[in-house]
Amino acid sequence: MVFCILFSLFSLFTIAISSSVFVSAFSLVNDFHVLVSLKQGFLSPEPALTSWNSSNPTSVCSWAGVFCSQDRVVSLDLTDLNLGGSVSAQVSRLDMLTYLSLARNSFRGGIEIANLSSLQSLNISHNQFTGGLDWNYSSLSNLRTFDAYDNNFTALLPLGVLTLEKLKYLHLGGNYFYGKIPESYGKLVGLEYLSLETNDLRGKIPGELGNLTNLRKIRLGYCNFFEGGIPKEFGKLVNLVHMNLPSCGLDGPIPHELGNLKLLESLYLGDNFLSGSIPHELGNLKLLESLDLGDNFLWGSIPRELGNLKLLESLHLGYNFFSGSIPKQLGNLTKLVNLTLSNNVFTGEIPYSFIN
């Protein structure tokens, strides 16, 4: 009786191990078939993908750009391999992927990534993908980084990204997205990086973006043309290090609330239609290294408080309507490398303090 029980337990144990090995092997074989299918859609896959031997499934984990863990493909990095063609929807069958990069190739046509619940980083930048990005993002629940920069997407900005509760990095710039920035993007409170620059966006910049208090970088400029000015709510972005809003049609005054951004290192507001005077509060930005307010319609005198920006290396105030004398306090900016004050209506002498 005892022998029978032991024999039965041993049999069950053997079956369990065999099943586990079978499932593992089957899963790796599945990954193999997916990768072979992907390669068939690529143009110019050689010599970059010479190691992708379609006759040997067991070699998958040694293929170029492929990284495995526990006999599954968990990373696929095809960055900068001079590949063209299309990317098959089969890529979404690599269900254990945590990292996927197709960046810096010449892939064309539409693309959709879905059903990769382990995926944390997705980079499809610098390609020629077309269409939109209206995907099922709820099936990408662990995505933290999404970079789609420099493609040919022509659509409204995707709303599905709002389901990505772990998203920290979102780069949709360098495309042809049109319409308005959705106010609901202000719900992406985990974001640390947001770029929508170099698109065809219109309307007002929603003040709701001021709710993204974890942001460190925001880039909305170039080719977009926004109505209205800089939302005063941006003064709540207290963790911001870089604010880039050049060449995007902004008008109205510079909000004095920007003086609250004590961690700011660069502020680019040039080539817009901003008017009014420079807020004295900008003198509070003691970590600022680069300030560009050039090519606007700003007037009045330059506030002497800018002399407090001791780390400033670049200051562009040219092509405005500033008047009065140049404040001697600018001589305190001893780290300054680039200074543009041209095309204004200053009077008086160049301050002697500039010798510093």
Side-chain angles (χ1 to χ4, degrees), residues 106-181:
S106 298
F107 292 123
R108 296 176 177 270
I111 182 173
E112 181 169 1
I113 307 297
N115 303 320
L116 299 180
S117 59
S118 297
L119 194 65
Q120 297 181 23
S121 179
L122 174 59
N123 190 343
I124 59 174
S125 65
H126 298 284
N127 281 288
Q128 299 172 39
F129 290 121
T130 56
L133 291 174
D134 188 19
W135 300 349
N136 178 17
Y137 291 94
S138 61
S139 66
L140 304 173
S141 55
N142 278 298
L143 200 63
R144 290 166 169 77
T145 299
F146 183 25
D147 191 343
Y149 175 68
D150 190 21
N151 280 284
N152 295 321
F153 293 117
T154 308
L156 297 172
L157 290 171
L159 292 177
V161 296
L162 296 172
T163 65
L164 300 174
E165 297 180 356
K166 298 181 180 180
L167 194 64
K168 295 183 179 299
Y169 183 104
L170 179 61
H171 197 342
L172 301 179
N175 286 285
Y176 299 94
F177 288 110
Y178 56 83
K180 299 180 179 181
I181 300 176

Side-chain angles (χ1 to χ4, degrees), residues 92-106:
S92 293
R93 292 179 56 206
L94 296 171
D95 58 294
M96 295 303 292
L97 277 185
T98 61
Y99 179 90
L100 173 61
S101 177
L102 307 172
R104 299 187 181 278
N105 286 291
S106 298

Side-chain angles (χ1 to χ4, degrees), residues 23 58 88 95 101 112 124 130 135 142 185 208 219 228 251 262 270 272-273 277 299 317 329 353-354:
V23 170
T58 61
S88 168
D95 58 294
S101 177
E112 181 169 1
I124 59 174
T130 56
W135 300 349
N142 278 298
Y185 270 32
E208 286 80 359
R219 308 175 68 95
D251 59 16
K262 303 296 179 60
N272 281 297
F273 301 102
S277 58
W299 62 70
L317 302 177
Q329 288 81 2
S353 61
F354 272 33

Side-chain angles (χ1 to χ4, degrees), residues 312-350:
L312 208 60
E313 298 177 1
S314 179
L315 176 61
H316 183 11
L317 302 177
Y319 296 87
N320 280 289
F321 297 93
F322 294 121
S323 59
S325 60
I326 300 172
K328 64 181 181 181
Q329 288 81 2
L330 293 189
N332 298 333
L333 308 179
T334 56
K335 291 185 177 293
L336 208 59
V337 177
N338 299 306
L339 174 63
T340 305
L341 300 174
S342 58
N343 289 79
N344 283 290
V345 284
F346 295 119
T347 56
E349 299 178 345
I350 297 175

Side-chain angles (χ1 to χ4, degrees), residues 2-19:
V2 173
F3 172 78
C4 291
I5 293 173
L6 290 174
F7 179 78
S8 298
L9 290 173
F10 176 77
S11 299
L12 290 171
F13 180 70
T14 303
I15 292 171
I17 292 178
S18 300
S19 299

Side-chain angles (χ1 to χ4, degrees), residues 178-230:
Y178 56 83
K180 299 180 179 181
I181 300 176
E183 295 175 357
S184 54
Y185 270 32
K187 297 178 181 179
L188 293 167
V189 293
L191 278 186
E192 297 176 3
Y193 181 100
L194 174 63
S195 176
L196 305 174
E197 66 182 0
T198 322
N199 277 294
D200 191 24
L201 299 172
R202 297 290 188 268
K204 293 184 178 181
I205 298 176
E208 286 80 359
L209 295 185
N211 296 329
L212 307 181
T213 54
N214 287 307
L215 272 186
R216 294 181 59 78
K217 295 184 179 181
I218 185 168
R219 308 175 68 95
L220 304 178
Y222 300 116
C223 299
N224 299 318
F225 198 88
F226 298 115
E227 302 168 5
I230 304 166

